[in-house]
Amino acid sequence: MKRQLLKHFRIPCFLLVACLLFFLLQGQFRYVFLGIGDGRLFLWDADFFKNCVFQIGGFSLWLDGFFVQFFHLPLVGTAIASILMTVTVSFTFGICCRIRGGFCMWLFPLMLLPTAFLCLDVVTDSYSFQAVTDYFLVTGILLACTCRGEKGGTLRGIWMRIPLAAVLILAAGPVLRPLTLPGSHRFIYAAWISLAACCIAAFVPKKTVTAPVGVLLLVLSSAAVSVPFFYLLKQNRQPRQEQVFQLSYYARNSQWSYITAVSRRMDMNNYMLLNYANLALGCQGSLLEHWTDYRQDDVQALCVKSDLTVGCMSLLSMIYYELGNIAAAQDMAFEANQCQASPSLLQTLVRTNLIFGNYSVAEKYIARLEKTLF
């Protein structure tokens, strides 16, 4: 009876984790996910699928693009991220329960640790969802490979399936992928190390953990996960980058009044933020009237120098387009699209080529856009 009660207790725990993740991501980092969604181009096309899948870790790359294409929709991106991260927690917990040969409540908070590190990587470091997708596939494969067979014990079944798991993991998403992602990768590797630590903790003999000791371990493990997570989240947040994501989202949707309202509450000591604020004033026809509302140090407050990053080149493409310098806008959009293709950049290339009368080129970009879902 007690065993069945503990098994049914897992579902409320996972639902609680999903809700807490959703409220955290939606409340604090919704513009980060909206920015991630605009930064990927996913095509519903057989050639695109083949180009992604027929490489090491290609299926994980394709699956990541499939999820991320929904991120530019408000609420949807954070909901998908919360659900997928919760599933990774359940996979980690399932692996440890199968290694241990039973359910163990005090291990549950420790199972949150890998997902907590992945969450930190997404919202504070790489601003990419790829590591979560890799972890999702790898833990799913490990969970399938640690299932009990009809004959033999759990550990024997695990050792017999290790070669199969290694091949599947290599095909689905290699652990070395962080080397190709932006950021410092420290949280990604911490997630894999904590997964190994969780598996080791699952080997603790059952008889050595009595009920009072289990309650104590539950409290200690909960504190060991939550306190470092919120501390690292506070220490590693990049408010300027988050503000750029927010203003970029408003600019892509031509919500200039929102940019003006939000900019008045920001500390405008960043050229990209000033560019967005002045661009919004210019598009509303009130730049001269409100010129002194912000600190205008030099000409870069109106048009920042390109640092060859996708975010900066996308902003410059918007500015040049609104100024009427269509050639420069097209050049910036093309360079940014070469680095990281996105629907908004393709739309800019369509508009600029139509203005120049390059209808055949515009049709090629339109054909690519027609293969996207949105």
Side-chain angles (χ1 to χ4, degrees), residues 76 83 90 113 115 120 191 199 208 210-212 233 240 245 253 279 290 302 310 322-323 343-344 346 355 363:
V76 177
I83 293 172
S90 68
L113 199 56
T115 303
L120 289 171
C199 293
T208 62
T210 60
L233 184 64
R240 287 289 173 267
F245 277 126
N253 293 277
L279 176 62
H290 297 281
L302 291 173
V310 175
E322 295 298 332
L323 290 174
S344 60
L346 287 180
I355 291 172
E363 287 176 356

Side-chain angles (χ1 to χ4, degrees), residues 284-351:
Q284 296 176 93
S286 57
L287 180 58
L288 292 178
E289 181 182 351
H290 297 281
W291 172 257
T292 58
D293 289 359
Y294 309 112
R295 180 180 174 180
Q296 312 287 356
D297 290 331
D298 53 36
V299 70
Q300 289 196 71
L302 291 173
C303 187
V304 68
K305 291 182 180 179
S306 176
D307 59 2
L308 300 180
T309 61
V310 175
C312 184
M313 289 189 290
S314 300
L315 169 59
L316 289 174
S317 178
M318 295 183 196
I319 294 173
Y320 289 141
Y321 186 85
E322 295 298 332
L323 290 174
N325 191 343
I326 307 302
Q330 185 182 68
D331 182 60
M332 286 290 106
F334 181 81
E335 293 295 333
N337 191 69
Q338 290 294 104
C339 297
Q340 188 173 347
S342 72
S344 60
L345 292 172
L346 287 180
Q347 291 170 6
T348 301
L349 290 171
V350 169
R351 290 196 297 267

Side-chain angles (χ1 to χ4, degrees), residues 1-146:
M1 180 68 181
K2 182 179 178 182
R3 183 182 180 88
Q4 291 296 323
L5 183 63
L6 287 174
K7 286 185 68 175
H8 291 300
F9 190 66
R10 287 181 292 184
I11 297 177
C13 287
F14 292 137
L15 290 176
L16 178 62
V17 170
C19 291
L20 291 176
L21 275 172
F22 176 76
F23 287 122
L24 173 66
L25 299 180
Q26 179 63 27
Q28 300 293 323
F29 302 102
R30 58 184 177 275
Y31 295 107
V32 172
F33 284 89
L34 291 169
I36 293 174
D38 184 68
R40 285 290 299 274
L41 183 68
F42 183 84
L43 304 180
W44 291 82
D45 180 69
D47 292 333
F48 180 80
F49 177 78
K50 293 176 182 177
N51 291 334
C52 287
V53 172
F54 292 156
Q55 57 180 308
I56 295 179
F59 181 73
S60 178
L61 185 66
W62 182 88
L63 189 63
D64 175 66
F66 175 80
F67 289 131
V68 168
Q69 69 176 325
F70 299 100
F71 280 18
H72 78 282
L73 300 174
L75 297 175
V76 177
T78 50
I80 292 175
S82 303
I83 293 172
L84 201 62
M85 288 182 184
T86 304
V87 172
T88 63
V89 174
S90 68
F91 283 174
T92 306
F93 189 70
I95 292 168
C96 292
C97 286
R98 287 178 175 178
I99 292 175
R100 188 174 176 80
F103 181 80
C104 184
M105 192 60 204
W106 66 267
L107 276 175
F108 183 79
L110 293 179
M111 304 305 106
L112 300 173
L113 199 56
T115 303
F117 282 123
L118 293 173
C119 183
L120 289 171
D121 175 73
V122 173
V123 299
T124 67
D125 191 19
S126 70
Y127 299 109
S128 170
F129 201 66
Q130 183 66 60
V132 179
T133 309
D134 287 344
Y135 187 87
F136 165 75
L137 285 174
V138 170
T139 51
I141 292 169
L142 289 176
L143 182 64
C145 291
T146 53

Side-chain angles (χ1 to χ4, degrees), residues 150-345:
E150 296 180 358
K151 297 180 180 180
T154 304
L155 291 179
R156 179 183 174 185
I158 293 173
W159 290 115
M160 291 178 64
R161 295 177 178 89
I162 283 179
L164 175 62
V167 173
L168 292 176
I169 288 172
L170 186 64
V175 180
L176 293 177
R177 188 190 295 281
L179 296 175
T180 65
L181 296 177
S184 62
H185 317 138
R186 61 187 185 278
F187 293 129
I188 300 178
Y189 287 122
W192 294 110
I193 293 171
S194 58
L195 172 62
C198 291
C199 293
I200 293 173
F203 283 99
V204 175
K206 298 179 183 179
K207 295 181 180 180
T208 62
V209 182
T210 60
V213 174
V215 173
L216 178 61
L217 289 175
L218 176 63
V219 174
L220 292 177
S221 59
S222 300
V225 173
S226 58
V227 173
F229 172 74
F230 286 105
Y231 174 78
L232 290 172
L233 184 64
K234 181 180 179 181
Q235 292 296 316
N236 292 277
R237 286 190 70 171
Q238 301 182 41
R240 287 289 173 267
Q241 185 61 46
E242 294 171 17
Q243 290 170 349
V244 169
F245 277 126
Q246 182 179 4
L247 298 187
S248 175
Y249 170 74
Y250 290 144
R252 289 195 305 271
N253 293 277
S254 300
Q255 296 176 327
W256 308 117
S257 59
Y258 284 89
I259 294 179
T260 302
V262 170
S263 298
R264 298 187 190 282
R265 301 193 298 268
M266 292 181 178
D267 184 13
M268 306 297 286
N269 59 358
N270 180 282
Y271 279 131
M272 289 190 68
L273 297 179
L274 281 170
N275 279 195
Y276 277 116
N278 287 325
L279 176 62
L281 291 174
C283 291
Q284 296 176 93
S286 57
L287 180 58
L288 292 178
E289 181 182 351
H290 297 281
W291 172 257
T292 58
D293 289 359
Y294 309 112
R295 180 180 174 180
Q296 312 287 356
D297 290 331
D298 53 36
V299 70
Q300 289 196 71
L302 291 173
C303 187
V304 68
K305 291 182 180 179
S306 176
D307 59 2
L308 300 180
T309 61
V310 175
C312 184
M313 289 189 290
S314 300
L315 169 59
L316 289 174
S317 178
M318 295 183 196
I319 294 173
Y320 289 141
Y321 186 85
E322 295 298 332
L323 290 174
N325 191 343
I326 307 302
Q330 185 182 68
D331 182 60
M332 286 290 106
F334 181 81
E335 293 295 333
N337 191 69
Q338 290 294 104
C339 297
Q340 188 173 347
S342 72
S344 60
L345 292 172

